[in-house]
């Protein structure tokens, strides 16, 4: 046990800075539901607030007097909740048991309540993405991914769901001093009517919360009077809250289709179901067996926001919650992007960790979910643009969250993950790429990120006699690969980098594999056919978010 942790950095930490051109600020937000125009009836009257964290571009040189702790207050309650959540995995529980004292000191490299930077975009507004967390996640659990997006000019909003999917969450009673805890709800992963009903109950809450987040963002941008009761919210010298006022007239949230939607695992399933539930809310011919999980009010603002042009990024989409008998009708409907006048799959991105790629049942369902025909896999219609589906080799489910960055040695030892920061960069850059592809204005990729994902290996990096890395060796290696990819021609010495083409199915980037929506195994997918029986679904989602066996998983194909 001692030797296991001896190689770990005593204090887990994030990279000191994000790689985009903008500094990053962050603010915690909690708003009473009673102060909002609820998009639909509340599925749970005990949930009296909506909670989320915002990551955003901030003014340079902004000083923050307080650190942003990764484990929020009350820290002891959160650490204990994580320990309970991870208790089903003996290997992971050893990890959490070792770290409780150190976890309290981990800080997010974003500036707390920093002043929002004025957008340089022609519209004067920043693009917005809403990100839904998976089981065991929280508003802080994807801080590196969302902080990185913010550093490239995105306002990233991370709701904390109160459906019992977070290890623990606290709902305030309208003041900053009193709160009620909502603890993790353990639900079986073996398919049954009871499990379907339980996941549907969770999704009802999650979809409603996404509607509340959207409503709150509209109110914030319009500078409507709204009270932020989150701990640490700022007030001006007259005692009036002004932390949210800096966002007024600065968010691109009113234009139809302007907000992008993203999520991880159960969170990916959440945004997928949310977008389709809103878009098909008035479809004719509902079968009697269809039980909608979210029916927005006829005057709800969210109805104008979701369009065929809404961009969607799905990280390790977990399809089981989408396959209940009660929502089968909606499952069989394609994403809005495939409707008349839509861009096809060009605004849909799906990234699978290697664990999810090798999970055959979920892989097939994911292909169906993002295709133009969710009921079957067939040869792609050349008149429709296909979705963008990729997986980074040697990645795990944790690679798309903060855990892969904070505990790289542990994830390598337990899940065989390689190059966790490079895998995270793939995720960030691919999300940015699909945004650019669909007209969302974001900053250019950084040279640091481009160099990190370029197709060279450690063996091409030279070292001096004393063991120090020879930077000329790195540059020479990258230069050789540029030359190879361009038919032997040298690239311009200082060519501007708008964005690396991560969305090309013919990309030659090492360890970045394109996946077809067709059932036939593509060349890049050969390893799945050979090793799917060896894949361990219990490690795909930390032994908590999946079914017990592949046989069970495939019952819903």
């Amino acid at each position: 046990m001692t030797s296991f942790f001896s190689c770990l950095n005593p204090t887990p930490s994030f990279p000191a800075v994000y790689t985009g051109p903008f500094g990053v600020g962050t603010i915690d937000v909690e708003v009473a539901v009673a102060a909002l125009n609820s998009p639909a009836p509340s599925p749970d009257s005990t949930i009296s607030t909506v909670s989320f964290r915002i990551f955003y571009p901030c003014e340079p040189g902004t000083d923050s007097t307080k650190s942003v702790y990764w484990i929020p207050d009350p820290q002891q309650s959160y650490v204990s909740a994580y320990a309970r959540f991870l208790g089903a995995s003996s290997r992971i529980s050893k990890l959490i048991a070792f770290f409780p004292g150190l976890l309290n000191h981990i800080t997010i490299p974003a500036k707390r309540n920093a002043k929002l930077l004025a957008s340089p975009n022609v519209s004067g507004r920043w693009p917005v993405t809403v990100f839904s967390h998976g089981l065991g996640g929280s508003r802080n659990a994807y801080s590196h991914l969302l902080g990185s997006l913010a550093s490239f000019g995105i306002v990233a909003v991370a709701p904390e769901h109160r459906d019992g999917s977070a290890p623990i969450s606290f709902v305030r009673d309208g003041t900053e001093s009193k709160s009620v805890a909502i603890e993790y709800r353990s639900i079986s992963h073996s398919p049954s009517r009871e499990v379907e009903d339980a996941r549907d109950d969770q999704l009802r809450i999650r979809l409603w919360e996404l509607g509340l987040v959207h409503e709150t963002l509209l109110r914030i941008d319009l500078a409507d009077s709204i009270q932020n009761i989150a701990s640490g919210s700022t007030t001006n010298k007259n005692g009036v809250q002004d932390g949210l006022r800096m966002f007024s007239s600065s968010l691109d949230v009113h234009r139809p289709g302007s907000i992008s939607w993203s999520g991880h695992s159960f969170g990916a399933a959440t945004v997928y179901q949310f977008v389709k539930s809103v878009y098909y809310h008035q479809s004719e011919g509902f079968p009697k067996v269809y039980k909608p999980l979210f029916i927005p009010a006829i005057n709800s603002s969210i109805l104008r926001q979701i369009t065929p042009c809404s961009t969607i990024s799905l990280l390790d989409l977990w399809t089981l919650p989408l396959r209940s008998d009660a929502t089968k009708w909606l499952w069989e409907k394609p994403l809005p992007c495939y409707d008349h006048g839509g861009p096809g799959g060009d605004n849909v991105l799906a990234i699978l960790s290697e664990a999810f790629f090798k999970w055959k049942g979920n892989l097939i369902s994911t292909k169906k979910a993002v295709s133009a025909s969710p009921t079957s896999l067939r040869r792609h219609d050349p008149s429709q643009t296909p979705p963008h589906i990729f997986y980074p080799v040697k990645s795990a489910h944790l690679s798309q969250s903060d855990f892969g960055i904070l505990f790289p040695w542990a994830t390598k030892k337990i899940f065989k993950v390689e190059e966790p920061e490079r895998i995270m960069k793939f995720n960030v850059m691919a999300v940015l790429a699909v945004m650019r592809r669909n007209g969302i204005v974001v900053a250019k990729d950084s040279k640091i990120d481009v160099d990190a994902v370029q197709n060279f290996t450690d063996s091409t990096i030279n070292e001096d006699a004393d063991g120090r890395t020879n930077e000329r060796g790195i540059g020479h290696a990258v230069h050789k690969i540029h030359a190879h990819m361009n038919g032997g021609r040298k690239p311009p010495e200082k060519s501007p980098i708008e964005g690396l083409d991560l969305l090309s199915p013919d990309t030659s980037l090492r360890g970045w594999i394109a996946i077809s929506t067709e059932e036939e195994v593509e060349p890049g997918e050969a390893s799945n056919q050979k090793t799917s029986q060896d894949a361990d679904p219990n490690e795909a989602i930390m032994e908590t978010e999946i079914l017990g066996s592949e046989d069970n998983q495939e019952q819903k194909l």
Side-chain angles (χ1 to χ4, degrees):
M1 181 72 176
T2 303
S3 61
F4 179 86
F5 290 108
S6 61
C7 299
L8 292 171
N9 184 329
T11 304
S13 62
F14 293 103
V17 294
Y18 301 107
T19 55
F22 304 116
V24 177
T26 185
I27 185 171
D28 235 349
V29 180
E30 187 169 5
V31 175
V33 173
L36 303 170
N37 294 321
S38 181
S42 170
D44 188 336
S45 60
T46 65
I47 304 174
S48 57
T49 66
V50 60
S51 172
F52 53 91
R53 178 174 287 280
I54 305 177
F55 297 86
Y56 55 90
C58 71
E59 290 191 350
T62 303
D63 293 325
S64 180
T65 57
K66 293 185 178 180
S67 298
V68 180
Y69 287 103
W70 186 60
I71 300 292
D73 289 328
Q75 288 189 324
Q76 185 176 358
S77 296
Y78 274 96
V79 172
S80 297
Y82 268 113
R84 290 192 300 273
F85 169 73
L86 298 171
S89 167
S90 59
R91 287 180 292 177
I92 299 291
S93 62
K94 292 178 182 177
L95 184 69
I96 201 73
F98 179 80
F99 279 118
L102 302 178
L103 291 175
N104 296 343
H105 300 288
I106 299 174
T107 57
I108 298 172
K111 298 173 181 179
R112 182 177 182 181
N113 300 336
K115 188 174 181 180
L116 177 71
L117 179 69
S119 173
N121 299 336
V122 174
S123 67
R125 296 175 178 272
W126 295 107
V128 173
T129 188
V130 176
F131 186 95
S132 175
H133 67 75
L135 294 184
S138 69
R139 65 191 188 279
N140 286 6
Y142 301 85
S143 68
H144 193 69
L145 171 68
L146 302 183
S148 296
L149 292 177
S151 75
F152 285 92
I154 303 289
V155 172
V157 182
E160 183 160 290
H161 294 296
R162 271 67 174 275
D163 62 324
S165 62
I168 196 168
S169 186
F170 292 90
V171 179
R172 300 183 188 279
D173 67 350
T175 70
E176 292 189 34
S177 57
K178 297 181 180 180
S179 60
V180 176
I182 297 179
E183 299 197 11
Y184 181 75
R185 181 184 178 189
S186 181
I187 299 172
S188 171
H189 303 293
S190 297
S192 69
R193 177 58 62 85
E194 291 73 21
V195 169
E196 289 184 1
D197 290 345
R199 294 301 182 196
D200 282 349
D201 286 344
Q202 289 186 303
L203 280 172
R204 284 188 184 90
I205 294 172
R206 285 170 157 256
L207 305 188
W208 174 65
E209 288 173 323
L210 291 185
L212 290 173
V213 168
H214 174 258
E215 176 66 22
T216 307
L217 292 175
L218 295 182
R219 295 279 297 277
I220 290 173
D221 183 77
L222 293 172
D224 285 354
S225 177
I226 189 169
Q227 184 181 12
N228 182 11
I229 62 174
S231 177
S233 54
T234 59
T235 57
N236 63 23
K237 62 182 180 180
N238 297 318
V240 178
Q241 289 187 326
D242 61 356
L244 298 179
R245 292 185 179 181
M246 61 182 170
F247 294 103
S248 64
S249 302
S250 298
L251 305 178
D252 190 2
V253 292
H254 302 283
R255 186 169 50 88
S258 58
I259 298 176
S260 60
W261 304 89
S262 50
H264 179 235
S265 196
F266 196 18
T270 299
V271 298
Y272 180 92
Q273 197 80 331
F274 179 72
V275 167
K276 291 174 71 172
S277 295
V278 173
Y279 192 72
Y280 291 110
H281 78 289
Q282 285 187 327
S283 294
E284 296 181 359
F286 281 167
K288 292 181 179 180
V289 294
Y290 174 52
K291 308 297 182 185
L293 303 180
F294 179 70
I295 305 178
I298 193 170
N299 61 344
S300 174
S301 57
I302 192 62
L303 297 178
R304 296 185 294 276
Q305 178 55 228
I306 301 298
T307 75
C309 295
S310 297
T311 301
I312 304 172
S313 297
L314 308 169
L315 310 184
D316 270 354
L317 173 63
W318 183 33
T319 59
L320 173 68
L322 304 174
R323 309 301 306 276
S324 77
D325 289 338
T327 60
K328 181 181 178 181
W329 178 87
L330 189 63
W331 165 260
E332 294 176 349
K333 292 290 185 182
L335 283 166
C337 61
Y338 295 107
D339 204 354
H340 180 71
D346 206 28
N347 63 353
V348 179
L349 171 69
I351 303 177
L352 284 70
S353 65
E354 186 165 322
F356 268 54
F357 175 68
K358 291 180 177 179
W359 180 8
K360 185 178 179 181
N362 198 79
L363 172 63
I364 294 174
S365 291
T366 296
K367 288 184 176 186
K368 291 179 179 179
V370 299
S371 72
S373 178
T375 57
S376 64
L377 293 178
R378 58 193 182 195
R379 284 289 177 184
H380 176 68
D381 181 355
S383 66
Q384 288 274 17
T385 304
H388 310 286
I389 316 178
F390 295 89
Y391 90 92
V393 176
K394 297 293 185 182
S395 59
H397 194 60
L398 290 174
S399 300
Q400 296 165 324
S401 71
D402 287 347
F403 291 92
I405 296 294
L406 289 174
F407 312 113
W409 189 89
T411 53
K412 179 177 182 179
K413 182 73 174 180
I414 299 171
F415 301 111
K416 313 302 181 186
V417 172
E418 301 286 349
E419 303 177 293
E421 287 194 39
R422 183 171 183 264
I423 291 171
M424 179 61 75
K425 291 181 188 298
F426 272 132
N427 281 271
V428 172
M429 294 174 69
V431 171
L432 292 172
V434 79
M435 289 181 174
R436 290 191 194 96
R437 183 74 71 93
N438 289 276
I440 298 175
V441 179
V442 296
K444 300 176 182 178
D445 287 335
S446 73
K447 187 176 186 302
I448 293 174
D449 290 347
V450 172
D451 286 351
V453 303
Q454 289 288 5
N455 194 11
F456 65 93
T457 63
D458 293 342
S459 60
T460 63
I461 300 177
N462 297 332
E463 290 187 354
D464 295 328
D466 61 358
R468 292 178 300 178
T469 300
N470 183 332
E471 294 183 2
R472 181 179 178 183
I474 296 176
H476 179 64
V478 175
H479 175 80
K480 286 176 65 178
I481 287 181
H482 275 304
H484 172 73
M485 294 172 64
N486 289 278
R489 301 187 302 274
K490 293 183 179 180
E493 291 297 325
K494 294 184 178 180
S495 58
I497 301 171
E498 194 66 46
L500 199 61
D501 189 12
L502 265 68
L503 303 183
S504 170
D506 301 320
T507 179
S508 59
L509 293 171
R510 174 175 58 85
W512 181 244
I513 309 299
I515 303 174
S516 168
T517 55
E518 296 175 3
E519 190 168 13
E520 292 79 3
V521 175
E522 297 295 313
E525 297 180 51
S527 62
N528 182 60
Q529 188 178 47
K530 296 177 182 177
T531 62
S532 63
Q533 296 304 315
D534 297 329
D536 182 2
N538 287 326
E539 292 186 356
I541 320 180
M542 291 167 37
E543 299 184 353
T544 56
E545 280 191 39
I546 54 171
L547 302 177
S549 69
E550 290 191 356
D551 291 339
N552 285 337
Q553 296 156 17
E554 295 177 6
Q555 291 181 14
K556 279 289 184 180
L557 294 183

